[in-house]
């Protein structure tokens, strides 16, 4: 379905150039094969879906499958014809587009020039008469896909080693040396993708029953003579009484081919052709590698020299922590809209679409703090608290180990960078909802009937004699009985001595 050919230079009540209407007819003729191919394809698709539903109803009614073989064969043939019609539509579209493009390139219609209309606008009126009929042809294709994909990989490795050595020496001295080392390495990669892809194509053609007619049709005598002489320079009309009477009594109405054509009425139609494609794509790729190595050496020596237990302790600890995190977050929003409406200006309302750019949460600073806590936990030195001795030391080590595991689990759960919203942008865009809103407004205005472009033209074809009679009725109502009346008429003064614009 194509848009209605329209020419803004064809204005109701104005003098028209017949070739402009011929240009519109030529464009419509070039588009006719395309419209016919589109109608054929739509009819085949509609019939195909209808036969499919009928076939399914027969299956649900448990009809003998042998009785449905012929229906299946016809359905296959119908689908093949629909495929052939689709190919033919594509070919006709290319052919028609080329022809129409060449025609429009030769004849521009945006800027026009014409002599002032001979109508007396104060005495004329434009009325609507229901002389035509209402009709609507509508075609829509809608396609939308929403895709969301998440992929993540994680690998965590924890290594712990513990070496203890004890030796007994002279003087009943007991020495115990404890060495512990731990390393944690975590690697995580995450990919998050969200895509929304939507396309809608709407074409509609409406014919309106209301026609615009200029009634009453009243001309201004002076403007009529001026317009006639402008359009027919080789058959000019003089304002002298003799020339006027001769022109008024001429049965031929002037030279052959001389005329003044005024658009006095139109029947109207309107069309809506719209296309929108919108693509919203959000993609986040995030990876994180964190490592923590902590080592501690603690030596505790106990000596019982016959006195109260004496305790001494010292500890040496070292830690190396590092984290490397990277993330790329992108949000793309693309909207392509094309709309051509003839005869109606629908409401265009933008819609809000949000896009989100993500970041890593928590940030690297927090990651380093957590790593430091883990390393500190693994390097705690213990001793004799209140004479607990070896049992107290073992209890302390167990407590330390539990704390280490808890912190390590918390690290794996929280420290490895996750994705958090950083920037949420609201964008005003033209999308598929905009197109549907515009189409609803188009249908509403089309039903009101106060819109449309001319598709049927009612032309008042004035001859030289018609213009002369109009001039005589105003400026020679009683004839030119004397020289004074003749001179007044030639000067545009009626026999009552009033100027042309004085009377209403």
């Amino acid at each position: 379905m194509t848009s209605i050919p329209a020419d803004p230079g064809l204005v109701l009540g104005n003098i028209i150039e017949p070739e402009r209407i011929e240009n519109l007819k030529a464009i419509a003729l070039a588009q006719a094969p395309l419209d016919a191919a589109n109608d054929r394809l739509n009819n085949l698709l509609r019939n195909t879906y209808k036969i499919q539903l009928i076939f399914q109803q027969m299956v649900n009614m448990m009809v003998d499958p042998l009785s449905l073989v012929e229906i299946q064969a016809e359905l296959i043939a119908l689908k093949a014809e629909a495929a052939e019609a689709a190919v033919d539509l594509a070919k006709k579209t290319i052919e028609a587009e080329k022809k129409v493009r060449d025609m429009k390139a030769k004849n521009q219609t945006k800027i026009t020039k014409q002599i002032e209309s001979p109508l007396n606008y104060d005495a004329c009126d434009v009325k609507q008469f229901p002389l035509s009929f209402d009709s609507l042809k509508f075609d829509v294709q809608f396609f939308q896909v929403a895709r969301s994909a998440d992929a993540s990989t994680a690998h965590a490795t924890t290594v712990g080693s513990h070496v203890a050595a004890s030796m007994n020496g002279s003087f009943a001295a007991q020495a115990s040396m404890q060495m512990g080392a731990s390393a944690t390495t975590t690697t995580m990669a995450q990919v998050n993708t969200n895509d929304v892809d939507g396309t809608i194509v709407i074409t509609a053609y409406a014919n309106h029953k209301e026609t615009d007619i200029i009634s009453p049709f009243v001309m201004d005598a002076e403007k009529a003579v001026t317009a006639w002489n402008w359009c027919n320079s080789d058959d000019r009309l003089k304002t002298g009484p003799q020339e006027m009477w001769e022109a008024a009594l001429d049965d031929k109405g002037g030279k052959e081919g001389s005329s003044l054509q005024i658009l006095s009425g139109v029947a109207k139609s309107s069309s809506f052709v719209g296309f929108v494609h919108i693509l919203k794509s959000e993609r986040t790729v995030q990876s994180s590698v964190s490592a923590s190595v902590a080592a501690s050496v603690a030596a505790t020596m106990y000596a019982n020299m016959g006195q109260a237990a004496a305790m001494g302790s010292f500890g040496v600890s070292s830690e190396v922590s590092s984290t490397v995190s990277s993330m790329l977050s992108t949000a793309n929003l693309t909207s392509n809209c094309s709309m051509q409406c003839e005869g109606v200006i629908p409401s265009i309302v933008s819609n809000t679409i949000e896009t989100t750019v993500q970041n890593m949460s928590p940030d690297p600073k927090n990651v380093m703090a957590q790593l430091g806590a883990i390393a500190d936990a693994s390097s705690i030195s213990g001793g004799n608290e209140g004479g607990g001795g070896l049992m107290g030391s073992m209890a302390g080590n167990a407590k330390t180990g539990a704390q280490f595991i808890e912190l390590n689990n918390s690290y794996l759960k929280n420290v490895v960078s996750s994705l958090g919203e950083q920037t949420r942008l609201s964008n005003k865009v033209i999308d598929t909802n905009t197109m549907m809103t515009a189409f609803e407004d188009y249908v509403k205005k089309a039903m009101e009937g106060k819109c449309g472009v001319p598709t049927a033209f009612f032309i008042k074809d004035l001859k030289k004699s018609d213009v002369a009679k109009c001039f005589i009725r105003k400026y020679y109502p009683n004839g030119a009985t004397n020289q004074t009346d003749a001179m007044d008429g030639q000067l545009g003064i009626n026999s009552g001595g009033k100027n042309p614009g004085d009377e209403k």
Side-chain angles (χ1 to χ4, degrees):
M1 193 182 304
T2 56
S3 180
I4 299 176
D7 187 345
L10 296 171
V11 181
L12 187 64
N14 275 22
I15 300 170
I16 64 172
E17 301 172 6
E19 56 269 19
R20 287 184 172 273
I21 298 179
E22 295 301 324
N23 292 337
L24 296 180
K25 292 170 63 177
I27 293 176
L29 185 62
Q31 293 176 342
L34 172 58
D35 293 334
N38 186 75
D39 291 341
R40 178 195 175 202
L41 178 59
N42 287 337
N43 291 334
L44 287 172
L45 292 176
R46 183 172 61 252
N47 291 330
T48 300
Y49 287 123
K50 182 178 180 180
I51 298 300
Q52 282 181 334
L53 290 175
I54 294 175
F55 178 80
Q56 188 61 41
Q57 286 177 341
M58 296 296 102
V59 173
N60 295 338
M61 293 172 62
M62 302 181 66
V63 176
D64 185 4
L66 295 178
S67 303
L68 302 178
V69 172
E70 189 173 354
I71 296 180
Q72 285 181 307
E74 293 297 330
L75 188 58
I76 293 174
L78 198 58
K79 291 180 179 179
E81 187 176 356
E84 186 272 331
V87 175
D88 182 63
L89 175 61
K91 294 180 179 179
K92 291 293 193 300
T93 300
I94 297 174
E95 294 174 1
E97 178 64 24
K98 184 178 183 303
K99 291 180 180 179
V100 172
R101 183 175 64 248
D102 294 341
M103 291 179 185
K104 291 184 176 180
K106 295 178 182 178
N107 304 289
Q108 72 87 21
T109 59
K110 291 184 178 180
I111 307 299
T112 61
K113 181 183 73 172
Q114 188 55 272
I115 191 67
E116 183 183 6
S117 171
L119 290 183
N120 184 349
Y121 291 115
D122 291 334
C124 294
D125 192 14
V126 178
K127 298 180 181 178
Q128 287 191 330
F129 298 92
L131 303 180
S132 187
F133 58 90
D134 287 330
S135 65
L136 176 67
K137 294 178 66 176
F138 170 65
D139 184 44
V140 60
Q141 286 87 36
F142 176 71
F143 173 80
Q144 179 167 325
V145 174
R147 296 181 294 269
S148 180
D150 294 304
S152 62
T153 58
H155 178 69
T157 303
T158 302
V159 178
S161 63
H162 179 75
V163 178
S166 300
M167 62 179 180
N168 294 321
S170 58
F171 307 109
Q174 181 183 16
S176 175
M177 179 176 289
Q178 299 174 341
M179 298 179 60
S182 65
T184 300
T185 302
T186 302
T187 303
M188 187 172 195
Q190 183 173 6
V191 179
N192 177 267
T193 303
N194 293 298
D195 292 333
V196 176
D197 188 355
T199 303
I200 185 171
V201 180
I202 298 178
T203 55
Y205 173 89
N207 188 73
H208 309 296
K209 67 179 181 180
E210 299 292 342
T211 59
D212 293 342
I213 305 294
I214 298 178
S215 178
F217 188 92
V218 181
M219 289 194 301
D220 182 283
E222 275 190 313
K223 292 198 297 182
V225 172
T226 303
W228 176 270
N229 292 334
W230 171 276
C231 298
N232 303 277
S233 58
D234 58 343
D235 190 16
R236 299 179 64 85
L237 180 61
K238 298 180 180 180
T239 57
Q242 182 175 352
E243 290 82 359
M244 278 293 174
W245 284 100
E246 289 177 354
L249 297 175
D250 186 4
D251 295 335
K252 296 181 179 180
K255 290 184 179 181
E256 185 177 356
S258 298
S259 65
L260 192 64
Q261 295 187 336
I262 301 175
L263 189 60
S264 61
V266 293
K268 299 176 296 182
S269 301
S270 61
S271 64
F272 181 101
V273 178
F275 161 81
V276 166
H277 173 73
I278 187 166
L279 174 63
K280 186 181 80 166
S281 177
E282 295 178 351
R283 179 178 175 83
T284 300
V285 180
Q286 183 256 349
S287 63
S288 180
V289 178
S290 301
S292 175
V293 178
S296 65
V297 178
T300 305
M301 299 182 68
Y302 297 91
N304 187 356
M305 302 298 292
Q307 299 177 358
M311 180 185 66
S313 64
F314 66 93
V316 179
S317 65
S318 63
E319 63 181 53
V320 178
S321 301
S322 66
T323 178
V324 177
S325 299
S326 64
M327 188 193 72
L328 175 63
S329 180
T330 59
N332 296 325
L333 182 62
T334 304
S335 178
N336 184 15
C337 176
S338 175
M339 186 182 301
Q340 182 177 359
C341 300
E342 300 292 351
V344 176
I345 301 178
S347 175
I348 307 297
V349 180
S350 62
N351 287 281
T352 301
I353 291 183
E354 290 187 346
T355 56
T356 303
V357 178
Q358 297 178 320
N359 70 340
M360 292 183 291
S361 177
D363 58 20
K365 181 179 180 181
N366 293 332
V367 174
M368 291 300 297
Q370 293 280 356
L371 291 172
I374 294 174
D376 290 340
S378 64
S379 61
I380 297 176
S381 300
N384 182 15
E385 299 178 1
L390 183 59
M391 295 296 296
S393 177
M394 295 176 61
N397 290 340
K399 182 178 179 180
T400 300
Q403 291 175 343
F404 176 83
I405 293 174
E406 179 64 24
L407 283 173
N408 190 48
N409 291 338
S410 177
Y411 170 78
L412 295 177
K413 181 178 180 181
N414 299 321
V415 176
V416 175
S417 297
S418 59
L419 299 180
E421 294 182 1
Q422 180 185 33
T423 305
R424 181 179 289 271
L425 300 176
S426 297
N427 304 276
K428 290 286 187 178
V429 298
I430 303 297
D431 60 358
T432 54
N433 293 326
T434 302
M435 184 64 65
M436 292 304 301
T437 302
F439 180 71
E440 291 176 0
D441 189 58
Y442 163 78
V443 174
K444 178 181 178 181
K445 293 179 178 178
M447 292 177 63
E448 294 174 354
K450 298 179 180 179
C451 57
V453 294
T455 51
F457 302 89
F458 309 144
I459 299 173
K460 186 174 287 294
D461 192 13
L462 300 176
K463 299 299 183 181
K464 189 175 183 179
S465 58
D466 298 323
V467 178
K469 291 174 183 178
C470 176
F471 194 90
I472 288 173
R473 282 194 296 268
K474 184 171 184 179
Y475 296 112
Y476 300 114
N478 300 318
T481 56
N482 53 60
Q483 188 66 25
T484 302
D485 292 343
M487 292 178 63
D488 289 345
Q490 293 181 20
L491 296 174
I493 302 174
N494 62 14
S495 57
K498 297 180 180 180
N499 293 325
D502 291 343
E503 69 282 352
K504 299 295 183 182

